[in-house]
Amino acid sequence: MAVLTSAPRGTQDLLPDISGKWRFAEEKLLETAALYGFREIRTPVFEHTELFQRGVGDTTDVVQKEMYTFQDKGGRSVTLRPEGTAGVVRAALQHGLLGGALPLRCCYLIPCFRYEKPQAGRLREFHQFGAEVFGPSSPDADAELIAFCAALFERLGITGLSLHINSIGCPACRRRYHEALRAFLAERADRLCGTCRERMEKNPMRVLDCKSPVCQEAVTGAPVMLDYLCEECAGHFSGLRERLDMLGIAYTVDPKIVRGLDYYTKTVFEFVSGAIGAQGTVLGGGRYDGLVEELGGSPTPALGFAMGIERLVMQMESSGCAFPEDRLYDIYLAGMGGAGRREALRLCGDLRQEGVRAGCDCMDRSVKAQMKYADKTGALYAAVLGESELEAGECTLKSLRGGEARTVRLEGLADTVRTLLDENKN
Ligand code: ATP
Ligand code: MG
């Protein structure tokens, strides 16, 4: 039955051959996050459906079209998280984290779920690294957050991304903009998709973000939020630009960025790639000063971003990043005869204690077949352990990568191999 041997549409297996690339990326992300004062938070994979309706916004594509919502056996409506921010805010409120020392900075590495049309870089189960900052209202925080994103890419060896920034104002200045946008859209209503015709009254900015080609076409020449910013929002935006210039971070102002989630205010930004196909936005983020209050907390300025790990790894590959080799074995010990095989097993334990990736046979293979297998796995070294080696107390350490063979003592083998590996690292 095909359903037993094929994964659901839009999901992806991360196979052992490439999981090392992901782990490398994830470790670097968390390590860099720590340098910027972010610690990890883990929240549940599913939450009450209302959290996302309120937190993401019920006129967004995510809520209207993309959520995995179901009733559990107790009759409650729950939703697999489509994004990470709402859950983080919920947790911060539930545990009173916003009453503690601010700013609160936290980050997460999570699977997310959206019912979308699967294509390259767009999946139904995908993964995000995200970070949130609660407390600061100054553009210092926006600039530092963007600098953090730039550092993440730099430390991963990623090139070829461009930073686009925009401001989508605050509820006060947006009111005037919405009027202008509604008037613009009203003239073109017959050219919009069904969803947009419905939501253009309540939330006209969502039309600008609609993926439907008819809507994208219809909104060319629409008024842009930047022309409507109030004094405070305009000051915040120029403050951000000054700081980015000071930090030497290159950017383009892109008045078309509005972001797909309702909670953004003021700064929005994206890191975009030209090298990974149509789904080129690797990272998106911004300020969401209204969200904490929307979810029942006291007004708390906040900002954050999320990047897609699938798109990140695609970009790493296209940038020719140096992924560390994730080989199965540093050394393979081929046992010959009962005593040799037992010694191989025992020595493997010693080697692993020294942090060496070691392996020996458990398939009852001949020595020749064991050596062939070692070669196939890409092991660095191999040695045969038979009666004569045990008697002599030494074995021949063969390099499987074209280096010289050498005779080494069995006693202290783990130390010897450890030293060899450390020397070859440099
Ligand atoms: P897009 O415009 O591509 O739909 P979005 O605005 O919906 O993106 P966000 O909600 O901002 O995306 O999510 C942040 C990041 O998560 C995106 O920039 C992208 O890298 C990644 N992402 C979002 N949706 C998907 C998906 N369905 N599959 C893979 N990655 C995704
Ligand atoms: Mg989307």
Side-chain angles (χ1 to χ4, degrees):
M1 235 165 63
V3 288
L4 294 184
T5 50
S6 50
R9 208 164 118 74
T11 66
Q12 203 166 264
D13 297 307
L14 186 63
L15 299 177
D17 271 353
I18 53 164
S19 59
K21 288 186 176 179
W22 276 56
R23 206 177 50 246
F24 168 71
E26 290 168 353
E27 281 169 6
K28 271 267 181 292
L29 292 170
L30 290 173
E31 182 189 294
T32 311
L35 298 178
Y36 280 78
F38 290 84
R39 289 189 300 185
E40 196 185 358
I41 182 168
R42 299 191 190 188
T43 63
V45 167
F46 61 90
E47 298 269 2
H48 295 123
T49 300
E50 293 88 325
L51 177 70
F52 300 114
Q53 286 169 337
R54 280 294 277 274
V56 176
D58 52 17
T59 54
T60 57
D61 275 1
V62 169
V63 170
Q64 290 192 329
K65 305 176 184 169
E66 300 170 0
M67 293 207 304
Y68 276 92
T69 297
F70 59 96
Q71 289 222 330
D72 68 9
K73 292 200 193 302
R76 296 171 205 90
S77 178
V78 293
T79 295
L80 302 184
R81 69 175 156 225
E83 55 92 57
T85 305
V88 171
V89 174
R90 196 264 313 134
L93 290 174
Q94 181 174 341
H95 303 287
L97 303 186
L98 301 177
L102 295 182
L104 168 69
R105 290 192 178 90
C106 46
C107 64
Y108 51 81
L109 259 168
I110 55 170
C112 295
F113 305 85
R114 296 185 192 177
Y115 192 76
E116 302 204 69
K117 197 166 149 234
Q119 48 199 291
R122 190 177 296 288
L123 291 141
R124 290 180 174 172
E125 182 190 31
F126 63 100
H127 298 79
Q128 284 189 340
F129 172 76
E132 321 287 356
V133 185
F134 298 93
S137 57
S138 146
D140 286 336
D142 307 50
E144 192 181 28
L145 187 71
I146 291 175
F148 169 39
C149 298
L152 291 170
F153 295 128
E154 198 187 318
R155 292 170 60 92
L156 284 166
I158 288 179
T159 52
L161 292 181
S162 42
L163 167 62
H164 297 229
I165 64 170
N166 189 25
S167 173
I168 57 169
C170 62
C173 49
R174 223 177 283 159
R175 212 166 299 130
R176 212 160 58 84
Y177 172 62
H178 277 178
E179 272 168 36
L181 186 56
R182 265 192 213 104
F184 175 89
L185 293 174
E187 286 172 21
R188 292 159 182 79
D190 52 335
R191 286 159 55 194
L192 300 176
C193 77
T195 317
C196 283
R197 244 173 306 185
E198 271 171 38
R199 63 188 170 186
M200 65 176 248
E201 252 323 293
K202 197 166 165 208
N203 195 344
M205 268 163 97
R206 285 281 68 87
V207 182
L208 301 179
D209 196 46
C210 184
K211 294 285 180 317
S212 149
V214 288
C215 294
Q216 283 182 10
E217 160 100 37
V219 300
T220 6
V224 298
M225 183 67 225
L226 278 185
D227 295 335
Y228 290 81
L229 294 183
C230 64
E231 206 174 312
E232 191 202 313
C233 289
H236 189 274
F237 192 53
S238 61
L240 168 63
R241 297 183 57 174
E242 271 164 33
R243 287 160 179 79
L244 291 177
D245 292 339
M246 184 272 290
L247 293 169
I249 297 174
Y251 60 85
T252 337
V253 174
D254 180 352
K256 288 215 276 297
I257 304 181
V258 293
R259 310 279 319 125
L261 315 176
D262 263 356
Y263 48 62
Y264 287 102
T265 50
K266 293 183 176 155
T267 310
V268 287
F269 60 93
E270 291 182 348
F271 281 82
V272 184
S273 161
I276 57 168
Q279 315 309 324
T281 308
V282 175
L283 179 155
R287 184 170 269 286
Y288 48 88
D289 289 344
L291 182 61
V292 173
E293 193 178 9
E294 179 70 32
L295 295 179
S298 359
T300 308
L303 58 162
F305 68 83
M307 69 163 85
I309 305 289
E310 285 80 3
R311 294 184 200 178
L312 178 80
V313 173
M314 283 160 84
Q315 184 65 20
M316 288 175 75
E317 277 164 347
S318 91
S319 308
C321 287
F323 290 102
E325 192 189 341
D326 188 30
R327 64 178 160 265
L328 206 47
Y329 304 119
D330 298 317
I331 180 168
Y332 190 84
L333 298 180
M336 186 164 35
R341 298 177 70 93
R342 280 192 298 276
E343 185 60 5
L345 183 61
R346 195 187 63 77
L347 281 171
C348 274
D350 291 354
L351 285 156
R352 290 166 184 150
Q353 282 217 324
E354 278 303 315
V356 175
R357 298 181 180 199
C360 61
D361 183 52
C362 56
M363 302 275 293
D364 281 327
R365 288 186 173 122
S366 69
V367 169
K368 195 172 154 209
Q370 291 183 50
M371 292 302 277
K372 208 166 142 193
Y373 166 76
D375 224 10
K376 203 155 100 188
T377 64
L380 282 184
Y381 299 103
V384 175
L385 293 180
E387 231 164 77
S388 55
E389 282 81 8
L390 297 194
E391 232 160 69
E394 49 188 40
C395 66
T396 306
L397 193 61
K398 200 176 149 203
S399 161
L400 301 184
R401 306 268 176 106
E404 271 173 33
R406 65 185 87 200
T407 305
V408 295
R409 303 282 313 155
L410 292 185
E411 207 186 314
L413 179 70
D415 269 345
T416 314
V417 174
R418 177 75 267 162
T419 312
L420 258 176
L421 292 173
D422 291 343
E423 278 168 8
N424 289 349
K425 232 185 237 163
N426 309 319

